Amino acid sequence: MLSRTADHLYWMSRYIERAECLARLVDAHYRMSLLPHSTEALESSLRSTMVALRVDRAYREKREKITPRLVLDFLTVDREFSGSILNCLRAARENARAVRGSLTSELWETLNATWLDARAMTARRSSATDTGQFVEWVKERSHLTRGVTIGTMMRDESFHFTRIGTFLERGDNTARLLTAHQEDLMPGADAEAVPDPFEWSVLLRSLSAFEVYRKLYRSVITPFNVAEMLILRDDMPRSLLRCTKEVYSNLQSVANHQSTETERRAGEIHARLHFGRMEDLTSRGVPAFLEEFLNRLADLGDRIATDFLVPVGA
Amino acid sequence: MAEAPYNEMIASSGVERGHYRRYAEWLANQPASQLAQKRAEADALFHRVGITFAVYGQEEGTERLIPFDIVPRVLPADEWTRLETGLKQRVRALNAFIHDIYHDQAILKSGIIPAEQVLCNPQYRPEMQGVEVPGGIYAHIAGIDIVRDDTGEFRVLEDNLRVPSGVSYMLENRKMMMRLFPELFSSHRIAPVDHYPDVLLENLRSVAPTGVADPMVAVLTPGANNSAYFEHAFLAQQMGVELVEGQDLFVRDESVFMRTTQGPQRVDVIYRRIDDDFLDPLAFRPDSMLGVPGLLTAYRAGRITIANAIGTGVADDKSIYPFVPEMIRFYLGQAPIIANVHTWQLRRPEDLDYVLANLPDLVVKEVHGAGGYGMLIGPAASKEEIAAFRRQIIATPERYIAQPTLALSTCPTFAESGLAPRHIDLRPFVLSGRAD
């Protein structure tokens, strides 16, 4: 297939996944804002989340104050902030439009309708309640997009590049969200300690992992259990291990004459998680591990672009 | 001039024409609310499916829906058969003309067309002189605009031989009609149009460079911001071929390749939707970001077919249009089946005299102008405008042609206020390939 087509498919799925991740995050914070919690805890969680997502600078350029309402609006519907959910949906649709002939009509129509409806909904929204409804809807649209992708696309290169985009983006997001809470994961931190349950439950909820955690651990939420679950569990759909496994296997399906090293690196990232133990992570420190992981993922993204897509900066 | 336009649906007696009778009966029985609902349904579907065209110079993301009307234009089979024969005849002569002027120039030598009309025309491409193209075909896809005058006679308004567009809207409109009103299709015998992409693909493959066993076809688009992008994507998808931009292609050893995820892949036929000027920055406009450097070299070497060929624009220019009936006689030895609109060529003194004496009743067009620029519509112009135009004509008469003001035929159309007559024209697409 055309390199440019693969590139658009890859970015289409990255953007829709990013929109979903943001929607999950906004949703969790929005729900928390309805509970009688300290505003301080909520604001501090928002602040560290923005830092982890590397959008804090863009936010500060627009506003000084951090209030839940302002931050959530910024992440959700800000028309000028290129990373808002609204603009991610637009970017997903623009990428899809550029290759609409390579998509099934169901997939194109889903992405097109998502953008048209999102634009209409955000234009007429007025209250915070609408934000809750909007992100709920974004999650549904992302689920729908994924279902249509899996249910209608040929299992050919188009599909594999779409999946690579999805899982690179998802792995990146999960790692960043963990980074937002890394003070509790410093080397030497008490593994049994139970810090602010509030922040950690926001994290779990935003990854659809709250109930799963309860089921798996049957105990209070501890940062190291959460980290183990989100990094090393093969059966967690949003864990780092799961994401890298998907990236690696999809990459193997599209291998070409120049991609050997890229494949090897993807395999290496995956193998380190596959054979990794929580003890090894904690002795080095989870934050250091996460930072390295994010760098390796970025390197992998660049290498995929060079080997298959439109090289970054071309 | 002041004649009433021909009404496609209703004869002057006030009775529906035969081929519209069943439709008119059906329409009269549809409750207004249901029709309104169907039209809203069509709008919503077109939006969702993204059947749009981009509007230039407006806020990003400005996409308009294609125009769609639930009152069809009905052409009876006998009228269409005659049109079809006439269109094929015309395009065959136009292809013969383009081949001739890029080879022996017999028609210029015979004095039928003044040589400078062709050779000094900005659309004439000296690079094409002596180049052999597969099957001698230049205009593989032609869009001929047909109007019906007040007497009911079909006439050719203009020939479009460069990158005519609109065929996808016809196909999508037909699909929408079938979806909204399937009952109309069971009560009428309607000739199908949805095989167009198959015919187009076969046509393009038939003109691949000689010796290519299984030709690879690609559609070349300027990109997603082009007004006709929907059509480019649609045709590529329907034909099952790649939709490429200039940046996806490169030329090596006089062959054209696409950049794919599995390395370079050879291309044999390019259905281009980019104007000549932008095709190859090495040969034409050096600032073109849309084209492929070296494409002309590969083309001249016969390693790639470009459809339509480079240099077809010389045959659809307004200054050449008046000569098409002569071309049909010259190359085919036949009488033209579809007439032109009567055209005065102001470089001829007797035509100039007539036109200057009758400016308020005529339409005057600049020969290289397009899209209504450099045009005078006599009946709608003020005295001052006519006087100003008169001065321009007298200064350079050879730059102008004139035509009578046409009363284009009308068809009832849903407008804001309900059903109202609207002027229509017809753009049939004429494909020419080697099997022809």
Side-chain angles (χ1 to χ4, degrees), chain A residues 60-130:
Chain A
R60 279 201 311 274
E61 276 169 16
K62 292 201 66 168
R63 304 202 189 278
E64 281 174 25
K65 255 178 78 179
I66 288 193
T67 74
R69 180 74 204 270
L70 286 177
V71 175
L72 296 186
D73 274 4
F74 175 71
L75 295 175
T76 308
V77 296
D78 195 304
R79 281 170 191 277
E80 289 148 32
F81 169 46
S82 62
S84 68
I85 294 177
L86 184 65
N87 280 324
C88 286
L89 295 178
R90 179 219 298 273
R93 187 260 187 180
E94 284 309 304
N95 276 287
R97 195 170 99 85
V99 292
R100 59 179 290 169
S102 312
L103 301 176
T104 58
S105 48
E106 286 97 329
L107 182 51
W108 156 248
E109 286 175 30
T110 303
L111 286 162
N112 188 42
T114 300
W115 159 242
L116 294 173
D117 292 350
R119 195 172 52 173
M121 285 165 85
T122 53
R124 62 167 184 260
R125 65 186 273 291
S126 53
S127 67
T129 320
D130 292 348

Side-chain angles (χ1 to χ4, degrees), chain B residues 8 147 425:
Chain B
E8 296 282 343
V147 297
D425 73 352

Side-chain angles (χ1 to χ4, degrees), chain B residues 245-265:
Chain B
E245 295 180 13
Q247 53 171 323
D248 300 323
L249 299 178
F250 66 94
V251 176
R252 192 164 62 202
D253 301 333
E254 296 188 338
S255 292
V256 181
F257 296 89
M258 320 187 257
R259 294 176 221 276
T260 80
T261 53
Q262 300 297 318
Q265 180 161 18

Side-chain angles (χ1 to χ4, degrees), chain A residues 235-250:
Chain A
D235 49 7
M236 267 299 292
R238 313 190 78 81
S239 76
L240 303 190
L241 174 55
R242 189 74 222 173
C243 292
T244 55
K245 185 178 189 173
E246 296 280 358
V247 169
Y248 181 47
S249 73
N250 280 289

Side-chain angles (χ1 to χ4, degrees), chain B residues 192-209:
Chain B
V193 293
D194 52 4
H195 57 309
Y196 178 81
D198 302 320
V199 182
L200 177 61
L201 180 62
E202 268 322 295
N203 194 61
L204 291 168
R205 286 166 59 96
S206 80
V207 291

Side-chain angles (χ1 to χ4, degrees), chain A residues 1-10 98-99 101-102 156-158 161 256 305 307-310, chain B residues 216-221 229 236 241-250 257-267:
Chain A
M1 70 189 301
L2 278 184
S3 300
R4 188 175 49 83
T5 304
D7 193 68
H8 283 298
L9 292 171
Y10 167 86
V99 292
S102 312
D156 59 6
E157 277 185 289
S158 319
F161 282 110
N256 66 21
D307 290 351
F308 300 98
L309 313 175
V310 180
Chain B
M216 173 71 74
V217 177
V219 177
L220 176 61
T221 174
Y229 176 72
V241 304
E242 290 289 359
L243 177 67
V244 299
E245 295 180 13
Q247 53 171 323
D248 300 323
L249 299 178
F250 66 94
F257 296 89
M258 320 187 257
R259 294 176 221 276
T260 80
T261 53
Q262 300 297 318
Q265 180 161 18
R266 174 129 181 211
V267 182

